[in-house]
Amino acid sequence: MKQLLKQVFNSQKHLIRLILPLVTVILAVSLFTTPALATGVDQIPNLTAGNKTWVLDQADVISRLNEGKISSTFEDLAKQTDQEVRIVTVRRLDYGETPESFTKELFKKWFPTKEAQANQTLLVIDTVTNGTAIITGDQVKPLLTDSIAESVATETVSVPLRNGNKYNQAFLDASDRLVAVLSGKADPGPPQITDNVQVEGTYKKAEETNQGNATAWVVGLLIAATVIPMATYYIYQINQPSSNG
């Protein structure tokens, strides 16, 4: 019995020796990798007023084609009006950071003085939570009021994200609205939200009708496949000569 217990104990010690290094590696990777995924203001490249970087897509959610379109639109706006707009995307914020606090810190880092901040607009999104924030300089507010800026962040950007994480559409819509307002044009407003349930409830789509017809055919064939053999067998039994005759 003692020999058996000794063997079991030795086996457990050997198993622990095998597993312990693996557990250590997993813990080390999780500890060092998780913070690396988070983005702090210090990790964002430096930028100053007049810089030609208009989109900083660190979360990699905007296509190159659309990033080019947005950048070209913002550059034209800067040339025509001196208003500068920048969009920043990050995958994850540092622990305790919010989109609002991150945006304020980044705004101050890039534009440390009131003069540098005057014509600046900064829109930031954290793609883990789809949280958005926007901040503007003093010379922007007469055109892009705080209420319009808030609507851009919470409606123009957020609505396409709620409808399937459509980041490209969200930022294209936001850039169009920002450029219109900062150019002195009328605010096009947030995207229109339609009630799809009521509209679709008034009639059937062709696909639904076809699907209903197909279902009816399948049910009919199943019934026929069951009833016809039974009826045939019943008729056959009736027509059989009596064994008493």
Side-chain angles (χ1 to χ4, degrees):
M1 183 66 177
K2 289 182 179 180
Q3 186 66 25
L4 179 60
L5 290 174
K6 186 177 180 181
Q7 289 179 355
V8 171
F9 181 72
N10 289 336
S11 298
Q12 289 178 341
K13 286 176 65 179
H14 180 66
L15 185 60
I16 291 171
R17 286 174 183 171
L18 291 175
I19 293 175
L20 190 57
L22 180 61
V23 172
T24 303
V25 171
I26 292 172
L27 288 174
V29 170
S30 63
L31 286 172
F32 287 102
T33 301
T34 302
L37 294 175
T39 302
V41 171
D42 292 340
Q43 295 170 271
I44 302 295
N46 247 335
L47 185 150
T48 58
N51 189 287
K52 301 301 182 182
T53 300
W54 308 107
V55 179
L56 192 60
D57 183 24
Q58 294 209 331
D60 196 26
V61 292
I62 308 175
S63 70
R64 288 187 178 183
L65 176 63
N66 288 324
E67 183 176 337
K69 287 181 180 179
I70 295 170
S71 296
S72 178
T73 301
F74 286 165
E75 186 163 354
D76 290 342
L77 176 70
K79 290 177 181 177
Q80 295 168 10
T81 66
D82 289 330
Q83 296 287 346
E84 297 186 2
V85 181
R86 289 177 176 84
I87 291 175
V88 175
T89 72
V90 295
R91 289 189 185 279
R92 186 193 303 274
L93 296 176
D94 278 341
Y95 179 76
E97 195 83 84
T98 66
E100 290 78 14
S101 63
F102 178 89
T103 305
K104 288 179 181 178
E105 288 180 35
L106 182 58
F107 194 72
K108 290 178 181 178
K109 175 185 176 179
W110 280 354
F111 319 112
T113 66
K114 285 288 185 181
E115 292 75 16
Q117 295 172 2
N119 294 325
Q120 302 296 330
T121 298
L122 176 60
L123 175 63
V124 174
I125 181 168
D126 160 29
T127 59
V128 168
T129 63
N130 281 344
T132 57
I134 189 169
I135 189 168
T136 60
D138 292 338
Q139 297 300 318
V140 178
K141 296 183 184 298
L143 292 170
L144 184 65
T145 62
D146 289 342
S147 60
I148 295 177
E150 181 69 15
S151 175
V152 170
T154 60
E155 295 178 289
T156 305
V157 174
S158 296
V159 168
L161 299 186
R162 289 197 297 267
N163 295 330
N165 286 337
K166 300 174 182 177
Y167 291 99
N168 285 282
Q169 181 185 337
F171 290 118
L172 286 170
D173 291 349
S175 65
D176 288 345
R177 187 177 180 187
L178 288 169
V179 168
V181 173
L182 293 173
S183 298
K185 300 176 183 177
D187 177 20
Q192 297 296 317
I193 302 174
T194 57
D195 190 348
N196 293 327
V197 175
Q198 291 182 358
V199 173
E200 293 178 356
T202 57
Y203 61 91
K204 284 190 175 182
K205 296 180 180 177
E207 294 85 350
E208 293 175 346
T209 304
N210 293 336
Q211 186 177 1
N213 292 337
T215 303
W217 273 102
V218 171
V219 172
L221 289 173
L222 287 173
I223 294 173
T226 304
V227 172
I228 292 174
M230 292 177 63
T232 303
Y233 179 76
Y234 179 73
I235 294 171
Y236 173 78
Q237 288 294 330
I238 292 176
N239 294 330
Q240 282 294 317
S242 175
S243 59
N244 295 329

